[in-house]
């Protein structure tokens, strides 16, 4: 059984495309293309299920059309509409490319000055020009490369130089 901490969200399935089982995949992380992955993990009725990809092609920078194995009809593809799509952390961590911000969801944030935990990254807020780590308690921390001193994927921690006074806001 796949556990939530073993994957990170990369997008959501949209509407069907054609009658042979293709479905649109709205993604905000193209890790599935950068890493040689045979499958994606879909959340179907609350359960994380691997679905092997037969093929995919890009429609734009944020949309791909995906054909999953054994999904051969429009009706079967329609059953997957709206499913959240996840990617295995183990495959992403093995990649030579840089880690994506979505991969860091669930990591603990540590203040470099005090070595004390600040909170857990619950989400990435990229709705504004400045990308932010949204902590589980609702606080927002700038997700800026200049502030990040170390990322430990094994311990799932992000060590940052947090500007003085930011945590009191």
């Amino acid at each position: 059984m796949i556990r939530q901490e073993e994957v990170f969200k990369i997008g959501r399935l949209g509407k069907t495309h054609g009658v042979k089982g293709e479905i649109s995949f709205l993604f905000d992380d193209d890790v599935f293309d950068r890493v040689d992955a045979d499958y994606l993990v879909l959340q179907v009725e609350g359960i994380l299920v691997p679905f092997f990809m037969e093929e995919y092609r890009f429609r734009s920078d944020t949309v791909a059309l995906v054909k999953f194995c054994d999904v051969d009809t429009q009706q079967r593809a329609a059953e997957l509409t709206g499913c959240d799509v996840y990617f295995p952390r183990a495959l992403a961590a093995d990649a030579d490319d840089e880690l994506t911000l979505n991969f860091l969801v669930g990591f603990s944030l540590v203040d470099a000055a005090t070595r004390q935990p600040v909170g857990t990254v619950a989400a990435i807020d990229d709705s504004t020009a400045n990308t932010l780590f949204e902590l589980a308690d609702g606080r927002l921390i700038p997700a800026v490369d200049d502030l990040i001193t170390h990322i430990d994927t094994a311990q799932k921690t992000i060590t940052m130089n947090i500007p003085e006074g930011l945590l009191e806001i």
Side-chain angles (χ1 to χ4, degrees):
M1 178 175 216
I2 300 172
R3 296 187 326 251
Q4 190 71 41
E5 56 270 7
E6 296 173 340
V7 295
F8 63 101
K9 186 176 176 184
I10 62 169
R12 179 178 211 106
L13 294 180
K15 61 184 178 176
T16 61
H17 181 80
V19 295
K20 296 187 179 182
E22 277 189 316
I23 190 164
S24 61
F25 169 33
L26 295 82
F27 59 91
D28 51 17
D29 189 334
D30 67 349
V31 66
F32 68 97
D33 187 49
R34 291 182 285 112
V35 174
D36 190 22
D38 296 330
Y39 67 97
L40 297 173
V41 178
L42 306 183
Q43 188 169 28
V44 181
E45 297 178 6
I47 299 170
L48 296 171
V49 181
F51 277 77
F52 286 85
M53 294 181 288
E54 199 170 292
E55 63 182 0
Y56 64 88
R57 66 184 191 271
F58 290 97
R59 296 280 309 236
S60 71
D61 289 344
T62 59
V63 178
L65 295 176
V66 179
K67 171 73 176 72
F68 292 110
C69 296
D70 300 325
V71 178
D72 297 323
T73 65
Q74 183 179 18
Q75 293 165 317
R76 179 66 180 113
E79 294 171 8
L80 301 175
T81 297
C83 287
D84 286 335
V85 180
Y86 295 85
F87 195 79
R89 287 185 186 277
L91 291 178
D94 292 342
D96 292 334
D97 296 312
E98 289 183 27
L99 297 176
T100 61
L101 288 174
N102 289 333
F103 181 83
L104 301 176
V105 171
F107 278 48
S108 295
L109 194 64
V110 176
D111 187 346
T114 65
R115 299 283 182 215
Q116 295 298 313
V118 174
T120 302
V121 177
I124 303 299
D125 181 351
D126 58 1
S127 62
T128 64
N130 299 316
T131 303
L132 303 166
F133 290 128
E134 184 177 328
L135 302 184
D137 62 7
R139 292 183 290 176
L140 300 172
I141 306 292
V144 181
D145 286 340
D146 292 344
L147 298 179
I148 298 172
T149 60
H150 182 71
I151 297 174
D152 186 335
T153 57
Q155 297 295 317
K156 295 180 75 173
T157 59
I158 306 166
T159 305
M160 292 184 70
N161 288 318
I162 298 174
E164 191 174 325
L166 183 65
L167 297 176
E168 285 77 42
I169 296 177

